Amino acid sequence: EQQLQQIDGSLATLEMQREAIESATTNTAVLSTMDNAAKALKKAQSGLNLDDISDIMDNITEQQDVAREISEAISSPGNAVDYDEDDLEAELEALGDTTPGEVDLGGHLDTEQDIQLPEVPSGKLTSDEDTANMEKSAALT
C-alpha cells in the first residue's frame, strides 16, 4: 500500500511537470509570435511618419467636405435662393398698385396705347427657302 502511494505521488509530480513544460512551450511560442508581429509592424510602418499621415487625413477630410458641398448644391430644389419676405411683400404691394393694361416703367405708368407695336402681316408668309429663291431670281434679272 505504501508503494502505491509512492507511485501515485510520482505520477502526480510527473503530471505537474508535464503541465509546466506544456505551459512553458506555449509561452515560448506566444512570445516568438509576438516578436515576429512586432518586427512585421515595424517593417510595415518604416515608410510612414505621423506628419504625413496627418496631412493625408486632412486632405481626405477636405475632399469629403467639398464632395458634401457639391452634393448639397446639386440636391437643393432648383438651387433656391433665400429671399427676404419683407422685400417680396413690398414688391407685391407695388405690383398691386398698377391696374391691368398699365406697365410700371421705373416710377411712372404708361398705358398700352403708348407702346408702339409692329403691324400684323396681311399677306401670305414665306418660308426661308422661298425668300432665298426669290433673292436668287432677283439677282439673275
Side-chain angles (χ1 to χ4, degrees), residues 98-114:
T98 61
T99 58
E102 293 181 331
V103 179
D104 186 357
L105 299 174
H108 66 281
L109 297 176
D110 285 339
T111 62
E112 286 181 10
Q113 289 96 18
D114 294 341

Side-chain angles (χ1 to χ4, degrees), residues 33-62:
T33 302
M34 290 174 77
D35 183 45
N36 290 338
K39 288 177 184 175
L41 281 172
K42 188 174 185 178
K43 184 178 179 182
Q45 294 174 350
S46 66
L48 301 176
N49 113 16
L50 195 55
D51 291 333
D52 291 342
I53 293 170
S54 179
D55 290 344
I56 291 169
M57 295 308 293
D58 289 343
N59 287 340
I60 289 172
T61 302
E62 183 179 327

Side-chain angles (χ1 to χ4, degrees), residues 9-140:
S10 294
L11 283 175
T13 303
L14 285 174
E15 184 67 28
M16 285 192 308
Q17 287 178 345
R18 185 190 60 81
E19 288 176 4
I21 291 171
E22 217 175 73
S23 178
T25 304
T26 302
N27 289 339
T28 303
V30 167
L31 287 174
S32 176
T33 302
M34 290 174 77
D35 183 45
N36 290 338
K39 288 177 184 175
L41 281 172
K42 188 174 185 178
K43 184 178 179 182
Q45 294 174 350
S46 66
L48 301 176
N49 113 16
L50 195 55
D51 291 333
D52 291 342
I53 293 170
S54 179
D55 290 344
I56 291 169
M57 295 308 293
D58 289 343
N59 287 340
I60 289 172
T61 302
E62 183 179 327
Q63 292 308 312
Q64 287 174 337
D65 290 342
V66 168
R68 188 177 315 109
E69 288 176 15
I70 291 170
S71 177
E72 287 173 3
I74 291 172
S75 66
S76 66
N79 295 330
V81 178
D82 291 335
Y83 293 104
D84 184 20
E85 275 192 47
D86 295 334
D87 290 344
L88 290 175
E89 287 292 328
E91 188 176 340
L92 183 61
E93 286 180 25
L95 288 174
D97 291 342
T98 61
T99 58
E102 293 181 331
V103 179
D104 186 357
L105 299 174
H108 66 281
L109 297 176
D110 285 339
T111 62
E112 286 181 10
Q113 289 96 18
D114 294 341
I115 299 173
Q116 298 289 326
L117 297 175
E119 293 294 322
V120 177
S122 59
K124 180 183 174 191
L125 297 177
T126 60
S127 69
D128 290 338
E129 187 177 309
D130 292 339
T131 305
N133 288 337
M134 287 190 315
E135 288 174 358
K136 283 182 187 177
S137 63
L140 293 175

